[in-house]
Amino acid sequence: MIAVEPIAEMREVLARHVEAEVIAGTAESIPLADATARVVTVAQAFHWFDPDRAPREIARVLTHDGMLAIVANVRDKANALQTALTELIAPHKGTYPNHDWPETLPEIFDVELVTFPHEHVMDEATFVERVASISWIGALPDDERERVLAETSALVAGRKEPIKLPYVAQVFLCRRRR
């Protein structure tokens, strides 16, 4: 298994926690030979990729019968806590270079979408850490990020039971068109 990661600090974390060869690269410039990967997986990151270059580069490294699997977790907005959290963090949401990525995939891939519900179960501290890990929350100025995280903590303050956040996992199974 090979993990391709552009950020040096993330490569260090991967090397400590994942049994894989960790190499520098991006979705737009994968340091692998043509047709060498049976599967390419991307979780919670495809929206950051260049919509023209990345799908073509991924297709280049896939074998003729290879597959791209993209996982995206979507908040279940039928849940009151998820709705409140979305309202709290939405004003800080940045823009992504490829926010319409599902629509661009059929140019190169045949796409099958599979969904399934799941939930993250956590305590208050983990809930706040989860929100702090959102890229555009982490990128806020310190004072603004601390305010958002304090408001995040207030959403669940005093709960005795574990916090359950429902999500819908969207798994896009993409086979390269021939």
Side-chain angles (χ1 to χ4, degrees):
M1 183 168 52
I2 298 171
V4 177
E5 169 58 46
I7 301 170
E9 294 84 357
M10 290 300 290
R11 287 194 304 274
E12 291 173 17
V13 171
L14 281 168
R16 285 195 309 270
H17 297 286
V18 178
E19 291 184 28
E21 177 184 354
V22 181
I23 59 176
T26 66
E28 298 79 11
S29 181
I30 302 170
L32 297 175
D34 292 358
T36 56
R38 290 262 329 189
V39 176
V40 171
T41 58
V42 179
Q44 294 299 117
F46 208 87
H47 56 277
W48 289 110
F49 298 169
D50 180 300
D52 296 318
R53 294 175 45 222
R56 286 174 176 69
E57 178 67 353
I58 292 167
R60 179 190 68 77
V61 302
L62 285 173
T63 59
H64 74 281
D65 61 344
M67 178 180 287
L68 165 63
I70 303 169
V71 179
N73 284 307
V74 179
R75 289 183 192 88
D76 182 346
K77 300 209 177 68
N79 176 270
L81 180 56
Q82 285 285 36
T83 299
L85 178 59
T86 299
E87 290 172 3
L88 173 65
I89 64 177
H92 308 286
K93 188 173 185 175
T95 58
Y96 306 112
N98 187 12
H99 90 274
D100 293 327
W101 63 265
E103 290 80 29
T104 65
L105 290 173
E107 296 171 15
I108 299 174
F109 297 97
D110 291 318
V111 181
E112 176 186 356
L113 173 61
V114 179
T115 63
F116 58 93
H118 65 99
E119 59 184 16
H120 293 182
V121 180
M122 62 195 81
D123 59 18
E124 180 180 339
T126 305
F127 178 73
V128 174
E129 289 171 3
R130 164 68 188 97
V131 173
S133 75
I134 298 170
S135 58
W136 34 277
I137 297 299
L140 291 172
D142 291 344
D143 60 334
E144 191 172 354
R145 183 179 57 256
E146 292 308 316
R147 182 185 56 75
V148 169
L149 296 179
E151 291 176 17
T152 299
S153 182
L155 287 176
V156 294
R159 288 191 182 217
K160 304 245 186 286
E161 69 280 349
I163 298 161
K164 296 179 180 179
L165 285 180
Y167 288 86
V168 175
Q170 297 177 327
V171 182
F172 296 83
L173 302 172
C174 309
R175 294 196 184 278
R176 190 174 70 176
R177 290 189 168 184
R178 296 178 193 210

